[in-house]
Amino acid sequence: MKYITFTVPCYNSENYLERCVDSLLPGGEEVEIILVDDGSTDRTGAMIDAYEANYPGIVRAVHKENGGHGSGVNMGLDLATGVYFKVVDSDDWLDGETYRKLLRTIRKHVDFTTEKPLPDLYITNYVYNHLDEGKIHRRIFYNLFPEEKLCTWEDMGRVFPTQSIIMHALTYRTGLLRDCGVRLPEHTFFVDNILAFEPLPYAEHLYYMNVDLYQYYIGRADQSVNEKMLIKRLDQYVRVVYHIMDHTDLDEVKQKHPKLEKYLVSFLTLMVGTVSTHYVMEDTPEAIRQRNEFWEGIRRRNPELYRHIAHSTVGRATHLSTRAGNKILLAGYRLAKKYYKFQ
C-alpha cells in the first residue's frame, strides 16, 4: 500500500532536485514519488528518469509540456495512488525524523483505525529555511489545534496574523481532493494558495502534529515570493485571488464551519494586502490604477467581503491612496518582512 503520494513539480530544477527527492526516498515502498518534468530545458528530465530507473515502484517520472506549477500538481493528483497526497516543491525538502513520524502515524491510522474516521487532513509545522544564511523561522500551530488528536474546525483556537496554514503545512487525503474537484490554473504562479484554501471546507476531520516537517527554502532570486518577481507577476496573483473568491462560497462555509470561515477571510485579507502593497512598490500611476481596479473586482464579486477587508487593519493600510499613506504602508511592510523573514 502507498500511504502517501508526493508530487514534485519540476522545472529546470537540476541544481536542487537531488536534495528534495533524496529527502523523500526514506519512505521506501510505503510512498509514491511522482516527479513531473514541466518541459525543462536543463538536465531535470534525465535526472528524474534516473530516479525512476534506480527506484522502481517508488519513483515515477512524468514528462509533459510546460504548463506551470499548477499543471504539475494536477498531473500528480490525477496519477496518485496513495491514501494521502502532498506537494513538495523541487527546491524544498522534508526533515527526515519528522517525515518518519508522519508516515508512522498515517500507517497507524490507515491500518488500525476501525471506528474512528480517517483524518481528512494532517497539519504540520513548516520552516522558512534561509539555508544560505544559516537561519530558520518556524511556523507553528499548537495554539490552533489539539496535538495528535482527531479534531474538527470547531476545535480551532485563535489565529494570529503570522499563522497562515499554507500548502507546505498540509497533507490531504487524496480522495478528499478528488471529491472537492480542485484544479489549479495553468501558466500561473502562486496557485499554492488555492490548494491551501479551496479544499479546506471539505475537511471534516483534522489531525495536527507539532513537528517541523517541511523545509521551505528561501533565497533563490527567481522564487515567486521574491519581491521583484512578485511585482513582475502581480497580474497572476490577482488571478489567484479572484479564482479563490469565485470557487469558494464563504457564506456556506460560515454556516457550517464559522471558525474556518473567519480564518479563510483573514487568509484572503492578507492576500489582498500583499497585492495592494506590491502595486504601491511599483510607484507608478498605472500601478495605482491597477490597484484600484483590483479592489473594484473584489467589490463586484462579493460586496460584503469587500467591506470586511476594506475596514480591516490590513485593508485600511493597503487601500490608502495618499503618498504619505503609501510611505507608511511600505515602512510597515519592510519591518514585517525583516521580522518574519517570509521572503
Side-chain angles (χ1 to χ4, degrees), residues 208-222:
Y208 170 60
M209 299 174 65
N210 186 12
V211 292
D212 299 343
L213 174 67
Y214 197 101
Q215 301 293 310
Y216 182 7
Y217 175 60
I218 299 290
R220 276 178 38 230
D222 61 342

Side-chain angles (χ1 to χ4, degrees), residues 149-169:
K149 293 181 179 179
L150 204 64
C151 64
T152 69
W153 295 114
E154 282 60 51
D155 298 309
M156 194 177 190
R158 180 186 175 188
V159 182
F160 293 104
T162 59
Q163 291 184 298
S164 294
I165 310 172
I166 64 176
M167 180 187 75
H168 306 320

Side-chain angles (χ1 to χ4, degrees), residues 257-268:
H257 301 302
K259 290 186 176 181
L260 174 61
E261 186 267 348
K262 186 176 181 180
Y263 163 74
L264 292 178
V265 170
S266 175
F267 187 97
L268 197 53

Side-chain angles (χ1 to χ4, degrees), residues 19 24 51 62 94 117 124 157 177 202 211 242 261 312 317 324-325:
R19 178 180 63 203
L24 305 177
Y51 271 113
V62 179
L94 302 188
T124 48
L177 292 178
Y202 297 87
V211 292
Y242 288 164
E261 186 267 348
S312 68

Side-chain angles (χ1 to χ4, degrees), residues 63 117 120 189 208 222 238 277 281:
H63 301 272
D120 294 310
F189 284 87
Y208 170 60
D222 61 342
V238 169
T277 300
M281 287 181 186

Side-chain angles (χ1 to χ4, degrees), residues 35-69:
L35 306 178
V36 183
D37 174 26
D38 190 41
S40 296
T41 58
D42 64 358
R43 294 181 53 254
T44 298
M47 291 175 69
I48 71 170
D49 286 341
Y51 271 113
E52 182 180 58
N54 291 329
Y55 298 94
I58 299 173
V59 176
R60 179 171 182 178
V62 179
H63 301 272
K64 59 182 289 298
E65 293 184 1
N66 182 263
H69 185 271

Side-chain angles (χ1 to χ4, degrees), residues 69-339:
H69 185 271
S71 70
V73 175
N74 292 339
M75 177 70 75
L77 182 57
D78 289 342
L79 298 174
T81 63
V83 181
Y84 288 90
F85 182 85
K86 186 167 186 63
V87 179
V88 181
D89 289 341
S90 60
D91 56 347
D92 300 335
W93 66 99
L94 302 188
D95 174 76
E97 181 178 349
T98 302
Y99 172 25
R100 288 188 287 272
K101 181 173 182 179
L102 173 65
L103 187 55
R104 286 197 303 270
T105 303
I106 290 177
R107 185 193 311 123
K108 178 183 69 175
H109 286 157
V110 172
D111 290 351
F112 299 106
T113 297
T114 54
E115 297 180 1
K116 293 182 180 179
L118 285 176
D120 294 310
L121 175 63
Y122 287 90
I123 301 170
T124 48
N125 306 332
Y126 61 95
V127 176
Y128 287 120
N129 197 315
H130 299 257
L131 191 64
D132 302 329
E133 301 175 19
K135 298 178 181 178
I136 64 171
H137 293 79
R138 304 170 65 222
R139 292 294 180 265
I140 56 181
F141 306 104
Y142 62 79
N143 60 305
L144 295 185
F145 307 103
E147 294 184 27
E148 302 197 24
K149 293 181 179 179
L150 204 64
C151 64
T152 69
W153 295 114
E154 282 60 51
D155 298 309
M156 194 177 190
R158 180 186 175 188
V159 182
F160 293 104
T162 59
Q163 291 184 298
S164 294
I165 310 172
I166 64 176
M167 180 187 75
H168 306 320
L170 306 173
T171 304
Y172 286 104
R173 186 171 55 80
T174 306
L176 177 146
L177 292 178
R178 289 175 174 158
D179 290 344
C180 77
V182 63
R183 301 297 289 182
L184 304 186
E186 296 193 356
H187 299 292
T188 306
F189 284 87
F190 316 112
V191 294
D192 54 301
N193 291 290
I194 298 173
L195 202 61
F197 194 103
E198 192 176 323
L200 292 185
Y202 297 87
E204 298 291 341
H205 303 97
L206 321 172
Y207 194 90
Y208 170 60
M209 299 174 65
N210 186 12
V211 292
D212 299 343
L213 174 67
Y214 197 101
Q215 301 293 310
Y216 182 7
Y217 175 60
I218 299 290
R220 276 178 38 230
D222 61 342
Q223 281 183 296
S224 59
V225 296
N226 177 276
E227 187 175 292
K228 291 182 179 179
M229 298 306 293
L230 202 157
I231 291 173
K232 182 179 178 181
R233 297 163 176 161
L234 267 178
D235 61 321
Q236 298 180 50
Y237 208 126
V238 169
R239 196 182 309 159
V240 168
V241 171
Y242 288 164
H243 179 101
I244 285 173
M245 294 184 66
D246 293 342
H247 288 78
T248 306
D249 187 337
L250 289 172
D251 290 334
E252 184 177 309
V253 176
K254 188 175 183 178
Q255 292 296 319
K256 192 173 183 181
H257 301 302
K259 290 186 176 181
L260 174 61
E261 186 267 348
K262 186 176 181 180
Y263 163 74
L264 292 178
V265 170
S266 175
F267 187 97
L268 197 53
T269 300
L270 289 177
M271 291 187 69
V272 171
T274 298
V275 172
S276 293
T277 300
H278 286 79
Y279 274 132
V280 171
M281 287 181 186
E282 284 194 79
D283 195 26
T284 65
E286 176 61 17
I288 298 305
R289 185 195 67 78
Q290 289 175 331
R291 180 182 68 167
N292 294 338
E293 188 178 88
F294 169 58
W295 278 91
E296 177 60 20
I298 295 171
R299 188 194 65 78
R300 288 197 306 268
R301 282 170 167 78
N302 191 325
E304 183 179 347
L305 180 63
Y306 168 85
R307 287 191 293 270
H308 179 93
I309 295 177
H311 289 90
S312 68
T313 301
V314 171
R316 289 196 299 269
T318 58
H319 207 187
L320 297 173
S321 57
T322 65
R323 184 163 293 276
N326 289 341
K327 287 183 177 179
I328 294 171
L329 168 63
L330 294 183
Y333 175 82
R334 304 289 187 201
L335 184 63
K337 186 173 78 166
K338 181 179 180 180
Y339 184 77

